[in-house]
Amino acid sequence: MTTPEMVMQYARWSARLIGFPPRMDLPEGEGIEGFRNFSEFWSARGMVPDSMEVEFIRQFAGGSGVILDVGANLGTHAFTLATMRPSCVVHAFEPSPQTVKRLKANVIRNDASNVVIHPIALGDVPGKLQFNNDQSSPGTNRIISNAESSLSL
């Protein structure tokens, strides 16, 4: 533990042992859960939209239509967008099967009926790719050139 903030967040994480699942609060009151380990919980802080991103959404995201969240992960941006723009449909694209399960659970927790999950990767050309799906550290999931520990998408 290197900072007081990390110690505080670790205490929140540890509360799961007595029945309180850790929750990462998002800017518009939503929250995400389903973290596999403290490292993922700690890293999620960097995925939460900051005040500049929220202001950008307020100024430039249309009031209706379609919004794409490519690489949705657990849904930090999808849920913020869905709450800020309830007349929009947010299409959340996430290729990791394990992460999609947790993203679906977060859709239910947040009652985000305007979020549609697509369990696929997006690219600029049709085809198949190799995807490193690290179950112990999903923050390192990525497209790879050799298929040592990957799944085809």
Side-chain angles (χ1 to χ4, degrees):
M1 303 291 148
T2 58
T3 67
E5 171 67 12
M6 184 181 270
V7 171
M8 182 181 244
Q9 292 299 329
Y10 188 76
R12 284 182 69 195
W13 169 256
S14 297
R16 78 192 190 296
L17 299 173
I18 56 171
F20 297 99
R23 174 184 162 98
M24 184 66 57
D25 295 325
L26 301 176
E28 297 296 308
E30 338 58 28
I32 57 171
E33 297 177 9
F35 304 99
R36 295 181 219 185
N37 52 45
F38 178 70
S39 177
E40 184 178 41
F41 178 68
W42 179 250
S43 297
R45 292 171 42 254
M47 292 186 269
V48 174
D50 63 25
S51 59
M52 288 178 60
E53 289 173 296
V54 170
E55 186 56 34
F56 182 86
I57 293 165
R58 278 195 176 90
Q59 287 185 5
F60 297 107
S64 63
V66 172
I67 299 174
L68 306 180
D69 182 0
V70 180
N73 202 292
L74 297 177
T76 56
H77 282 78
F79 300 126
T80 301
L81 290 160
T83 301
M84 292 179 73
R85 296 294 184 254
S87 297
C88 290
V89 176
V90 178
H91 292 273
F93 295 87
E94 174 54 49
S96 168
Q98 291 78 19
T99 304
V100 165
K101 288 178 192 172
R102 295 176 310 132
L103 177 59
K104 286 178 181 177
N106 281 322
V107 166
I108 292 166
R109 275 185 204 102
N110 287 288
D111 194 26
S113 60
N114 60 332
V115 174
V116 179
I117 298 171
H118 302 276
I120 60 172
L122 291 184
D124 60 349
V125 295
K128 293 191 179 236
L129 54 87
Q130 296 299 316
F131 183 75
N132 180 46
N133 192 40
D134 186 343
Q135 295 190 29
S136 65
S137 181
T140 63
N141 289 347
R142 66 192 179 286
I143 297 170
I144 58 173
S145 57
N146 87 29
E148 184 175 321
S149 141
S150 62
L151 45 104
S152 293
L153 302 172

